[in-house]
Amino acid sequence: VRRDAATVTFLCGAIGNALLSKVLKRLINAARPAGARLSDPGMPSSHAQSLSYFAVFLALGAETWEATLPPRLLHLSRPLMLLSPPLLRHAGAALSLALGAALTALRVRAGLHTPAQCAVGAAIGGLNGACCFFTMPACVLALQALQARHPVALVGGVLLLGAAVVGSVERTLAARMKDKKT
């Protein structure tokens, strides 16, 4: 729906958040709970970190819904806004946060993470989501300036950042680093 610098900023923030999670997992190197079917490090929970990033970002976006919608979508939202704009914004924010928390709790219930691993991931992801949301106006200006001068560099940079986060790339690099140590 949106092909603009704000969307790129949101996605780059999400990619950066995921990359930070992978780096922290390797640095902290804390084991998952006994009996977990995964063997990679579990602290922080990357799922909790990503879910919290999205939940907090979307909750903040819901609270400023009418102010952040692009003009072409704003007219479509008018019928909903007649219900009660503050109520809809608060309900959207609460729903986003509740869904993020519920999905994070499933990671503990499935035995894939400890509550502490999920709490740390959620705290880091939530902080990153809030930081990305509040720095978005400055990031949008910077991206627009970069796009005007170097559009290929912008697209290439986003693609490289995304590729760095993809699990297979990260696992391949980690395996190569492990092989070099032995």
Side-chain angles (χ1 to χ4, degrees):
V1 174
R2 291 178 61 149
R3 297 180 197 140
D4 57 15
T7 304
V8 171
T9 301
F10 167 73
L11 292 175
C12 284
I15 292 168
N17 182 61
L19 186 59
L20 175 63
S21 176
K22 290 182 180 297
V23 168
L24 289 174
K25 275 184 181 269
R26 299 293 176 210
L27 289 175
I28 297 170
N29 200 24
R32 290 178 181 266
R37 61 182 185 265
L38 299 173
S39 61
D40 63 324
M43 174 69 90
S45 165
S46 55
H47 283 83
Q49 191 167 329
S50 292
L51 287 165
S52 187
Y53 173 86
F54 288 115
V56 168
F57 190 97
L58 294 174
L60 290 168
E63 287 295 333
T64 60
W65 181 17
E66 197 167 7
T68 59
L69 279 176
R72 66 183 179 274
L73 290 180
L74 189 56
H75 76 280
L76 295 174
S77 72
R78 291 283 182 221
L80 288 175
M81 298 307 276
L82 293 175
L83 296 173
S84 170
L87 177 63
L88 283 174
R89 287 194 298 268
H90 299 328
L95 181 62
S96 175
L97 295 171
L99 185 59
L103 292 172
T104 296
L106 288 176
R107 302 296 291 176
V108 175
R109 187 166 185 209
L112 297 170
H113 291 285
T114 65
Q117 291 170 344
C118 284
V120 169
I124 294 169
L127 181 62
N128 286 338
C131 287
C132 186
F133 184 84
F134 289 117
T135 60
M136 184 176 281
C139 292
V140 165
L141 291 175
L143 283 171
Q144 288 171 337
L146 180 61
Q147 182 182 14
R149 291 189 200 114
H150 308 288
V152 174
L154 175 64
V155 172
V158 171
L159 289 174
L160 284 175
L161 184 60
V165 177
V166 174
S168 59
V169 172
E170 182 264 336
R171 286 186 185 101
T172 301
L173 292 174
R176 285 184 184 166
M177 290 172 61
K178 187 177 181 180
D179 289 344
K180 286 182 182 180
K181 289 180 182 178
T182 57

